[in-house]
């Protein structure tokens, strides 16, 4: 599927508008590198469209940037002049089986961002690309990287199986990469950076183009999500499913203030979370999540030997099974978005509602539904994840340099993950 530059402009401007809503705070003009990069996405892409719109029909687009530090790799200093996007001829699972690209070294640039904090491929939470039969691994990668709607069931048939019926089934999307001085960017683990969305490729390219003297990975959230999907989630989906599900027993939206002790906070929680729990109950087997009030939450969350070996609230079994089944329906792109949201919001239910709501918006299943998606936009989801923090700020005041940055980080993470997942869904919806 090919989109014109105007499509990238629309998405980039929308991203900037949503980001601006989340980044701005009353009475304080503060911005971080991440917010600056998000807003630069719109301006960089807009400049490209104004200069030469026909370039969208070409396999490669490039635009100039001033102030490049040089043409060679020097630590994390900017080493490129031009940033662009390119239509890739090879799908990610068709690359060589050793974790390296099938492109020649002269046609690609190694990622200056390492997988590990020590400049190596080893770090906490970083898993190596597994070895094994190349055909089996390729089929598994294809199943995880071909986009699909959340909750739509297990991975679709592979392109090979679909071809046997004479139909592609929409399971072979176009793949786009990002180029630096004409060479394709690689992931930290050495694979070609490939995303199934031209608009997303434009936005990742704009993140690279917004870098000035030194590269700041924290200001490239979309690049981070894409690399994590390709290097980690696609190869280790079970780890990412289990990590997200660990937030369900300790979900922040299930621990309510005691209405007899803190009536105002309880009222805010009820306003923010009641619709969320109704939606999750409707979509996850019909059982409502377990909730606890005040000290009751601490008592219910304790471990009790063999009877309750793990900490957290004992949710209904049907809800837990439905949540596990739902995570198995996600592709690698959705899995990294799920983990990013759940980690920031400390809530599996908020992450579920955001991604499942996006699938419903596309009319994925056509089923009758009792509850509508609880969040009109990402800002509502961000507010739901910060009910207690914002209540304490309203009572005791805002601490500059702490609370304001917490707000920013929450907004950046949730907006980036939502934009990442929705962009891929919209360009690959059947």
């Amino acid at each position: 599927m090919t989109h014109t530059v105007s499509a990238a402009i629309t998405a980039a401007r929308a991203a900037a508008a949503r980001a601006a809503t989340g980044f701005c705070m009353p009475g304080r003009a503060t911005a971080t590198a991440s917010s600056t990069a998000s807003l630069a996405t719109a301006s960089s892409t807009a400049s490209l469209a104004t200069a030469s719109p026909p370039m969208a029909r070409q396999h490669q687009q490039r635009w100039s940037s001033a102030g490049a530090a040089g043409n060679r790799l020097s630590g994390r200093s900017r080493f490129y002049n031009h940033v662009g996007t390119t239509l890739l001829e090879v799908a990610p699972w068709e690359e060589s089986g050793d974790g390296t690209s099938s492109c020649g070294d002269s046609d690609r640039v190694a990622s200056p961002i390492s997988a590990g904090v020590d400049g190596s491929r080893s770090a906490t939470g970083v898993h190596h690309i597994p070895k094994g039969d190349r055909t089996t691994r390729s089929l598994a990668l294809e199943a995880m990287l071909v986009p699909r709607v959340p909750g739509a069931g297990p991975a679709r048939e592979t392109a090979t199986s679909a071809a046997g019926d004479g139909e592609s089934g929409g399971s072979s999307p176009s793949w786009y990469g990002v180029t630096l001085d004409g060479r394709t960017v690689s992931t930290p683990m050495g694979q070609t950076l490939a995303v199934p969305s031209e608009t997303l490729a434009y936005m990742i390219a704009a993140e690279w183009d917004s870098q000035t003297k030194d590269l700041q990975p924290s200001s490239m959230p979309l690049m981070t999500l894409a690399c994590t999907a390709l290097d980690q989630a696609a190869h280790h989906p079970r780890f990412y499913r289990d990590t997200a599900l660990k937030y369900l027993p300790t979900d922040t939206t299930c621990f309510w203030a005691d209405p007899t002790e803190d009536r105002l906070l309880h009222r805010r929680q009820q306003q923010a979370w009641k619709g969320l729990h109704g939606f999750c109950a409707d979509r996850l087997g019909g059982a409502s999540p377990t909730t606890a009030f005040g000290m009751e939450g601490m008592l219910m969350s304790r471990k009790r030997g063999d009877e309750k070996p793990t900490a957290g609230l004992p949710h209904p079994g049907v809800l837990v099974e439905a949540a596990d089944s739902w995570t198995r329906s996600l592709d690698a792109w959705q899995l990294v978005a799920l983990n990013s949201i759940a980690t920031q919001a400390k809530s599996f239910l908020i992450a579920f509602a955001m991604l499942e709501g996006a699938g419903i918006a596309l009319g994925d299943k056509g089923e009758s539904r009792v509850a509508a998606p609880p969040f009109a936009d990402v800002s509502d989801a961000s507010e739901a994840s910060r009910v207690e923090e914002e209540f304490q700020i309203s009572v005791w005041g805002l601490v500059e340099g702490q609370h304001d940055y917490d707000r920013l980080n929450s907004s950046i993470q949730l907006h980036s993950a939502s934009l990442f997942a929705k962009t891929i869904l919209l360009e690959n919806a059947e």
Side-chain angles (χ1 to χ4, degrees), residues 44 62-69 78 80-84 180-181 205-206 208-212:
S44 297
R62 302 176 63 183
W63 62 90
S64 297
S65 299
R78 174 161 177 158
Y80 50 89
N81 290 306
H82 305 284
V83 184
L180 305 180
D181 291 334
W208 282 96
D209 198 47
S210 68
Q211 305 299 304
T212 54

Side-chain angles (χ1 to χ4, degrees), residues 32-48:
T32 64
S34 297
S35 61
T36 302
S38 299
L39 296 177
T41 301
S43 60
S44 297
T45 315
S47 300
L48 172 62

Side-chain angles (χ1 to χ4, degrees), residues 89-391:
E89 298 180 355
V90 179
W93 56 84
E94 295 173 345
E95 290 191 341
S96 58
D98 57 358
T100 60
S101 172
S102 58
C103 301
D105 291 339
S106 60
D107 296 328
R108 57 197 297 266
V109 56
S111 174
I113 304 172
S114 65
V117 295
D118 56 354
S120 69
R121 290 189 176 187
S122 176
T124 301
V126 173
H127 301 269
H128 290 278
I129 296 175
K131 297 183 181 298
D133 179 70
R134 179 176 178 180
T135 301
T136 302
R137 187 168 63 250
S138 295
L139 290 174
L141 281 178
E142 183 177 4
M144 289 305 301
L145 291 176
V146 172
R148 56 182 180 269
V149 176
R156 298 170 182 164
E157 295 181 1
T158 64
T160 301
S161 299
D165 298 330
E167 297 179 1
S168 65
S171 58
S172 298
S174 297
W175 296 91
Y176 299 89
V178 175
T179 60
L180 305 180
D181 291 334
R183 297 191 297 164
T184 306
V185 175
S186 301
T187 67
M189 299 294 279
Q191 303 183 100
T192 298
L193 177 66
V195 294
S197 164
E198 185 179 19
T199 303
L200 180 59
Y202 272 114
M203 291 188 284
I204 294 175
E207 288 183 339
W208 282 96
D209 198 47
S210 68
Q211 305 299 304
T212 54
K213 181 179 179 180
D214 297 315
L215 300 182
Q216 299 292 335
S218 62
S219 67
M220 295 190 284
L222 298 176
M223 171 69 180
T224 299
L225 290 169
C227 289
T228 303
L230 291 165
D231 282 350
Q232 300 296 308
H235 298 276
H236 306 278
R238 181 176 179 181
F239 172 82
Y240 278 80
R241 289 194 294 263
D242 292 346
T243 300
L245 287 168
K246 287 180 180 178
Y247 285 97
L248 183 57
T250 58
D251 198 292
T252 188
T253 69
C254 295
F255 293 85
W256 296 45
D258 190 329
T260 62
E261 298 178 357
D262 205 332
R263 178 169 50 87
L264 293 179
L265 176 56
H266 179 82
R267 183 181 302 170
R268 290 195 182 186
Q269 292 172 331
Q270 188 176 37
Q271 293 172 346
W273 299 340
K274 187 175 182 180
L276 170 66
H277 285 196
F279 173 81
C280 293
D282 180 47
R283 307 299 297 181
L284 294 174
S288 297
T290 301
T291 56
F293 300 90
M295 292 297 297
E296 177 187 25
M298 296 182 62
L299 297 176
M300 294 177 64
S301 298
R302 290 179 178 175
K303 297 180 181 179
R304 296 186 180 89
D306 295 336
E307 179 183 355
K308 188 173 179 294
T310 59
L313 297 178
H315 292 293
V318 63
L319 183 144
V320 175
E321 292 177 5
D324 179 74
S325 177
W326 179 81
T327 61
R328 293 178 185 276
S329 75
L330 303 182
D331 56 43
W333 317 103
Q334 302 289 335
L335 271 179
V336 296
L338 175 72
N339 274 265
S340 180
I341 297 170
T343 300
Q344 179 60 47
K346 302 298 184 290
S347 170
F348 174 86
L349 298 180
I350 289 178
F352 167 81
M354 290 180 66
L355 296 183
E356 181 72 357
I360 291 174
L362 292 175
D364 55 320
K365 306 176 198 58
E367 302 171 356
S368 59
R369 288 175 285 271
V370 176
F375 306 127
D377 52 35
V378 182
S379 296
D380 289 344
S382 182
E383 291 176 5
S385 71
R386 292 183 50 80
V387 173
E388 295 182 15
E389 290 87 342
E390 294 300 327
F391 176 77

